Amino acid sequence: MIGQAGKALLNHVHGGLIFKRRVAVLAGALAQAMPQGGRVLDLGCGDGQVAMALMALRPDLKVEGVDVLVRPVTHIPVTQYDGVTLPFADGSFDYVTIVDVLHHTDDPAAVLAEAARVSRLGVVVKDHLREGWLAGATLRLMDWVGNRGHDVRLPYNYLDRQEWNAAFSHARLGVADRQNRLGLYPVPLNWVFERQLHFVMRLHRLPAIA
């Protein structure tokens, strides 16, 4: 167990070393992943800092958020949802972004399918690939450091390449664009925590099966 003082210290250290850089890098990667402007839903947006940074880079994008838990202070408008069904009509948004959310869910494929339903041009996913030496243990450590202080649920549900492909197939999504080297961590932390453990993908909706 970790007390409130421990959580505060963990958040302070992570914020100083990682968080600000992470927001800037992720905003840049998302901006690159979406070739057109439009309306964007940030699924699992947290306080919306990444979305706010994205709009600063891409004024042609208008981002709003949705989350299971709406924080007291957010940087973008946020709608609460039940974690199962997004409270929006089919094709309500041009893009849906899902940033480091799917590995916190029990059924990433179901969440992807809902994102696909409400998107028109595509779904942009930032998440982890469980592949390589001690990948699972490394990802668990990163997840714990970044989220334990905020009491975020940690099921550590990291997928390997085959599992991701199966999830995309279930959601009727295909890969349109992929970024593998994001630069989330400074040297020397990147040697351990970057590798091929992170990706940003833009996924497009596949035609319905007749």
Side-chain angles (χ1 to χ4, degrees):
M1 298 292 291
I2 180 173
Q4 290 302 316
K7 291 177 184 179
L9 177 60
L10 192 63
N11 293 341
H12 177 74
V13 172
H14 182 262
L17 290 177
I18 304 298
F19 187 72
K20 290 182 180 179
R21 179 188 181 107
R22 178 181 182 275
V23 168
V25 169
L26 290 179
L30 295 175
Q32 180 180 332
M34 290 179 277
Q36 300 181 38
R39 189 179 179 210
V40 179
L41 178 67
D42 185 354
L43 196 167
C45 61
D47 65 3
Q49 287 196 54
V50 173
M52 184 176 65
L54 171 60
M55 287 189 287
L57 294 174
R58 290 283 304 276
D60 59 327
L61 297 173
K62 181 176 178 58
V63 186
E64 60 187 270
V66 66
D67 213 324
V68 173
L69 177 65
V70 179
R71 300 190 186 188
V73 178
T74 62
H75 299 276
I76 58 172
V78 181
T79 299
Q80 189 169 25
Y81 92 118
D82 60 7
V84 177
T85 303
L86 290 169
F88 307 104
D90 296 1
S92 296
F93 298 87
D94 295 293
Y95 297 101
V96 176
T97 60
I98 313 176
V99 179
D100 283 334
V101 169
L102 293 174
H103 60 268
H104 292 289
T105 70
D106 294 321
D107 192 349
V111 178
L112 280 167
E114 266 297 280
R117 179 183 66 79
V118 303
S119 69
R120 188 175 67 86
L121 298 177
V123 178
V124 179
V125 174
K126 159 47 179 91
D127 218 285
H128 300 307
L129 177 64
R130 196 186 78 243
E131 185 173 279
W133 183 72
L134 291 179
T138 304
L139 291 170
R140 288 173 69 95
L141 174 61
M142 287 192 296
D143 223 358
W144 189 89
V145 171
N147 293 293
R148 183 62 185 89
H150 299 287
D151 292 323
V152 174
R153 182 173 178 267
L154 296 173
Y156 303 119
N157 190 17
Y158 315 114
L159 306 185
D160 62 23
R161 195 176 302 271
Q162 184 175 353
E163 290 166 333
W164 275 119
N165 289 337
F168 297 154
S169 178
H170 173 84
R172 301 297 302 158
L173 291 168
V175 179
D177 180 72
R178 179 175 185 136
Q179 302 171 51
N180 291 319
R181 295 191 176 276
L182 305 181
L184 286 163
Y185 299 90
V187 176
L189 294 179
N190 65 322
W191 300 343
V192 176
F193 298 116
E194 191 87 18
R195 295 185 276 163
Q196 296 294 318
L197 299 175
H198 307 264
F199 66 82
V200 170
M201 286 187 187
R202 175 166 51 89
L203 307 163
H204 63 91
R205 294 176 64 176
L206 297 175
I209 299 175

